[in-house]
Amino acid sequence: MFDQPSAISFQLPPWVNEFAATYRQTTDAQQQMAFVLAAAQRNIEKETGGPFAAAIFAADNGELVALGVNLVTTQGLSALHAEVVAISLAQRKFDTYDLSEAPRRLRLVSSTEPCAMCLGAIPWSGVGELITGAREEDARAIGFDEGAKPENWSATLDERGIQVTTDILRRDAKKVLQHYLETSGTVYNASKD
């Protein structure tokens, strides 16, 4: 007899909302990235997932809309990358799959450039901006499989009207990834190469 779950859900670690309350509203991309990197670091320290975090902010005034962290290993779902978690939370918050319908233009700030899956999710989400810290090669350097992406992936988003800014606090973002490796964090990689 065929049997499968009738619902899928995920739970944020208890510390996430408490941590989100520490955010000081700003439109400064470096300060927003520092907040996101601190969340990624906390995710490592609390052993609640991988070394990645992402947040969605209102582009005009810096209001924090959603904070997501990587939950792949702790929730057992490969789709729970930080960007997907943050996008999903914002979509539930605004009750729409299309965040371009939100009251303000939204900015996604991610601790690392998007993998192939997240690159696909970003244009469908309706966010208007993407800001990243570490590069794809920084994640690959510690063993993560980022999937196949177009060489000039940022241009594909730009063509869709999504403004992309990379390398914001890249050195600090790389340190978070390295710290994860040094603390024996699980580097999940289904292709095992």
Side-chain angles (χ1 to χ4, degrees):
M1 183 169 123
F2 178 74
D3 186 32
Q4 70 179 7
S6 60
I8 296 174
S9 63
F10 66 88
Q11 181 114 17
L12 289 173
W15 63 266
V16 171
N17 286 342
E18 184 178 301
F19 181 82
T22 69
Y23 171 69
R24 293 190 175 201
Q25 192 166 330
T26 179
T27 58
D28 182 80
Q30 288 196 350
Q31 290 178 31
Q32 290 175 345
M33 182 61 73
F35 172 76
V36 167
L37 293 177
Q41 183 66 35
R42 178 77 54 96
N43 208 34
I44 297 168
E45 293 166 0
K46 296 288 190 179
E47 298 181 352
T48 49
F52 307 101
I56 294 181
F57 301 93
D60 64 346
N61 68 3
E63 175 188 352
L64 176 62
V65 172
L67 173 62
V69 293
N70 179 285
L71 301 172
V72 171
T73 58
T74 54
Q75 302 278 321
L77 296 169
S78 63
L80 294 183
H81 290 202
E83 298 94 330
V84 171
V85 171
I87 288 166
S88 298
L89 293 168
Q91 288 170 333
R92 281 291 176 251
K93 186 172 192 170
F94 291 121
D95 194 27
T96 181
Y97 63 87
D98 183 357
L99 293 175
S100 69
E101 297 176 355
R104 296 181 171 92
R105 179 178 165 92
L106 299 178
R107 167 189 286 177
L108 173 63
V109 177
S110 180
S111 61
T112 304
E113 290 178 351
C115 69
M117 178 181 68
C118 296
L119 179 62
I122 290 167
W124 291 334
S125 72
V127 297
E129 290 181 51
L130 171 64
I131 295 174
T132 65
R135 291 185 184 175
E136 173 183 349
E137 59 259 32
D138 302 331
R140 287 186 190 277
I142 68 163
F144 282 97
D145 178 2
E146 297 299 281
K149 296 185 335 189
E151 188 173 323
N152 195 359
W153 62 269
S154 62
T156 66
L157 295 179
D158 186 57
E159 289 169 6
R160 291 175 169 254
I162 301 168
Q163 178 184 341
V164 178
T165 306
T166 60
D167 294 336
I168 300 297
L169 300 182
R170 180 180 179 206
R171 184 180 312 143
D172 295 337
K174 285 173 63 174
K175 286 180 185 176
V176 172
L177 294 173
Q178 191 61 41
H179 176 72
Y180 184 72
L181 186 64
E182 291 167 0
T183 59
S184 302
T186 301
V187 177
Y188 49 90
N189 181 344
S191 67
K192 309 286 190 257
D193 56 7

